[in-house]
Amino acid sequence: MADVLFYVLAAMVVGGASGVVLQRSPVGSLLFMVGTLASVAGIFVLLEAHFLAAVQVIVYAGAIMVLFLFVIMLLNLGHDYQADMKRGFGAFFAFGTTGLMAGLLARQLGGAGENPIYQYFPGPDGMDRILAEEGVIGAVARPLFTEYVVAFELVGILLLVALVGAVALARGRG
Amino acid sequence: MLPESLILGAILFVIGTFGVLVRRNAIIIFLCIEIQLNAVNLTFVALSRYLGIEGQLFVFFVMTVAAAEAAVGLAIIISIFRHYKSVNVDNFNLLKW
């Protein structure tokens, strides 16, 4: 059952991402992106990252995509259907680069499941035990507020700086 | 499910890279960068199921950095649009030599 669900969601992810790249209107691209993010959240659930799935839907598909939509509407870009793809040398370069990257990744990931490194780690059973002991939120929250608390605070400062910078940039003169 | 997830992450990353290279609209390029970040998040989550909970924490940090990047980047795009009346990256050749 989980395998079937995984392949359905994977097809939705790949189709949605292709739609983002190939769609001509920016608003259409954005809607494809929301579908892609929701499908990725579904895959997170299958991989037992329930908290991150919730954060993915609320923060990514909710807040960040609304920000993108707001900017598209503000700049009035919803109606320009002019050709947006690069042609000639640019397209050739893009195909070459991504083809090379796909080849290298396929070669690396071809035997990922049989890699001997995984036998030294607890595997899915260890994860199930952690989730049963601490719960879905607690498993993420405990290391976040103990070992990684400095990084957590720094991320808070980063968000504050980004907020101030965005306001200062978008406000313009006067 | 680990190899399938890793391969899906790789496919997603390649699609995102292709979009960054081939599109001209700056906002779509930003969306494609978000696709790349999501591909890496997917890889992190898939590996965290086998190698420990830290992968999920890094996904959390990647998401916050992506939010900050989207806010500042979109503000820059608005600022550029005010000057050039366009978000087509072919028009921004100010730093070209």
Side-chain angles (χ1 to χ4, degrees):
Chain A
M1 179 61 197
D3 278 342
V4 176
L5 208 53
F6 178 85
Y7 284 115
V8 170
L9 286 170
M12 283 170 68
V13 167
V14 173
S18 311
V20 174
V21 175
L22 299 177
Q23 176 68 252
R24 288 164 84 189
S25 112
V27 177
S29 264
L30 199 76
L31 293 178
F32 269 116
M33 187 73 192
V34 173
T36 309
L37 293 173
S39 310
V40 171
I43 290 181
F44 282 2
V45 171
L46 289 181
L47 292 172
E48 317 225 349
H50 303 86
F51 175 67
L52 286 178
V55 171
Q56 173 96 356
V57 170
I58 294 170
V59 175
Y60 245 125
I64 298 183
M65 288 303 120
V66 168
L67 188 65
F68 272 91
L69 187 65
F70 176 73
V71 170
I72 288 175
M73 294 299 178
L74 182 73
L75 303 183
N76 203 9
L77 299 176
H79 299 295
D80 58 343
Y81 292 113
Q82 62 190 9
D84 189 39
M85 296 277 188
K86 283 182 183 153
R87 297 197 186 287
F89 180 73
F92 180 74
F93 176 72
F95 269 112
T97 310
T98 49
L100 188 69
M101 188 186 276
L104 286 174
L105 285 173
R107 191 163 166 273
Q108 284 293 320
L109 296 176
E114 289 82 43
N115 195 321
I117 193 170
Y118 294 111
Q119 72 191 20
Y120 298 113
F121 291 97
D125 300 334
M127 192 69 167
D128 288 341
R129 191 177 44 77
I130 293 175
L131 286 179
E133 276 176 15
E134 306 208 42
V136 174
I137 308 277
V140 180
R142 188 180 303 282
L144 189 63
F145 290 110
T146 52
E147 288 172 63
Y148 294 91
V149 70
V150 178
F152 183 73
E153 298 291 342
L154 286 176
V155 156
I157 294 171
L158 172 76
L159 277 176
L160 180 67
V161 171
L163 175 72
V164 173
V167 170
L169 274 171
R171 200 176 59 110
R173 306 275 177 274
Chain B
M1 217 182 284
L2 176 71
E4 292 93 337
S5 305
L6 291 182
I7 289 167
L8 179 63
I11 294 172
L12 205 54
F13 192 86
V14 168
I15 292 174
T17 311
F18 184 70
V20 170
L21 289 174
V22 88
R23 292 295 295 245
R24 288 203 179 97
N25 189 329
I27 293 178
I28 310 283
I29 291 177
F30 259 72
L31 275 181
C32 292
I33 293 174
E34 300 284 334
I35 291 180
Q36 289 180 304
L37 290 169
N38 259 285
V40 175
N41 280 353
L42 187 60
T43 309
F44 267 137
V45 170
L47 286 175
S48 91
R49 192 149 173 262
Y50 285 80
L51 309 185
I53 200 80
E54 274 80 8
Q56 297 195 17
L57 290 181
F58 293 151
V59 172
F60 189 77
F61 290 130
V62 169
M63 277 182 189
T64 22
V65 173
E69 173 250 327
V72 175
L74 289 171
I76 290 174
I77 288 178
I78 290 176
S79 182
I80 286 176
F81 184 80
R82 287 216 185 106
H83 278 277
Y84 293 98
K85 301 289 173 228
S86 161
V87 291
N88 191 331
V89 288
D90 284 356
N91 297 338
F92 312 148
N93 50 11
L94 203 60
L95 291 178
K96 239 183 211 172
W97 55 279

